[in-house]
Amino acid sequence: MNVNTEAGTANFEYLQQAAETNDTRTALRDLMTTYGDDVWNYAFSLCRNSDMSDDITQEVFLKVYRKLGSFRGESSIKTWLLAITRHTAFDMQRSSFWKRITSSDIFAATAVQPSAEHEAIERFSINDIWQKVMELPVKYREVLILYAHYQLSMREMAEILKLSEGTVKSRLFHARARVLKLKERDPIEPE
C-alpha cells in the first residue's frame, strides 16, 4: 500500500467515523481549516469574482456537511472537495441570479481604495505567469491550476474534470503553449 492509499484510507475512516458518530461539526471544522483556502482559491480561479468565490466556498462546505457520509475514499479528500467546488462553481455561474448580479457589477461605483476582488487578484497573481494563466479560457486555466498550484496527478485531475487522462494531458500541453505565447506577446520588463 503506498502513502497516498494509506492517507486516503485514513481520511475515509476519519470521515466515516465522524458521520457515524454525529461528530460532523468537528469534521467539517477540520475540513474547512485544512482545505478552506484551497476551495476558495480554486473557486476564484474558475469565476474570478471574490464575492462569488465566498458563496461557492460556503455552498461547498454546506454540501459536504449534508453528505459527509457519502465520501467513499476512492480519491483524496482534497480531490473530492475540488470536484465539488468545480461543480458548484459551474452551477452557480449558470444560474440566472448570478448572471444578473455579475452583469450589474459592471455599473457599480468605483471605490477610492482597491476592492477586495482587486486585492484577491493581486494575491493570487503573485507573478506575471499567474496573470497570464488567469487570462486563459477556463478549460486551460483550471488544468494548469490543478497541476501547478494543487499538485494533483493526471488521474486526480481527470477525476475532478470528468475527462480522460489523455484529454487532461492534451489540455495541459495546450495551456502551457498558450501561456508561452502570452509571455512572448507581453515580455516581462526588467526592473
Side-chain angles (χ1 to χ4, degrees):
M1 187 179 273
N2 69 28
V3 175
N4 280 343
T5 307
E6 289 173 5
T9 303
N11 290 333
F12 174 69
E13 290 169 358
Y14 171 73
L15 290 180
Q16 286 301 110
Q17 180 182 4
E20 291 169 3
T21 62
N22 293 327
D23 193 17
T24 52
R25 287 182 185 215
T26 301
L28 181 65
R29 190 175 329 112
D30 291 347
L31 290 172
M32 290 173 69
T33 300
T34 305
Y35 300 106
D37 288 343
D38 289 333
V39 168
W40 191 92
N41 287 331
Y42 186 48
F44 184 80
S45 74
L46 295 172
C47 68
R48 294 191 259 181
N49 179 303
S50 62
D51 293 333
M52 191 172 190
S53 298
D54 291 342
D55 290 339
I56 291 166
T57 301
Q58 182 177 8
E59 185 64 26
V60 165
F61 286 110
L62 283 172
K63 287 178 180 180
V64 167
Y65 181 75
R66 287 185 207 120
K67 299 183 184 231
L68 195 58
S70 71
F71 179 70
R72 296 184 306 262
E74 296 171 358
S75 64
S76 69
I77 291 176
K78 182 189 251 183
T79 302
W80 181 59
L81 288 170
L82 293 178
I84 294 170
T85 303
R86 182 175 191 267
H87 294 296
T88 303
F90 289 149
D91 287 346
M92 287 183 114
Q93 286 177 319
R94 282 192 293 266
S95 79
S96 61
F97 171 76
W98 275 108
K99 287 180 183 174
R100 286 192 308 265
I101 295 299
T102 56
S103 64
S104 67
D105 286 346
I106 296 169
F107 302 107
T110 57
V112 175
Q113 295 185 4
S115 67
E117 181 178 357
H118 181 71
E119 289 176 3
I121 290 171
E122 287 181 3
R123 269 195 329 266
F124 195 78
S125 301
I126 293 171
N127 61 35
D128 187 59
I129 297 297
W130 282 111
Q131 290 173 348
K132 306 256 184 279
V133 169
M134 294 303 285
E135 292 177 26
L136 296 175
V138 171
K139 73 179 190 177
Y140 296 124
R141 185 170 64 233
E142 70 183 337
V143 294
L144 278 174
I145 289 170
L146 290 172
Y147 181 76
H149 183 71
Y150 295 104
Q151 300 176 347
L152 297 182
S153 68
M154 293 294 168
R155 183 187 56 76
E156 290 173 319
M157 289 190 295
E159 184 179 324
I160 288 173
L161 302 173
K162 302 284 188 231
L163 299 169
S164 70
E165 286 186 46
T167 302
V168 171
K169 288 178 185 176
S170 174
R171 283 189 182 178
L172 189 57
F173 173 81
H174 291 290
R176 287 175 175 159
R178 284 181 174 226
V179 168
L180 287 175
K181 275 188 177 179
L182 289 172
K183 190 175 176 185
E184 289 171 2
R185 182 191 76 193
D186 301 324
I188 301 171
E189 297 293 324
E191 294 182 11

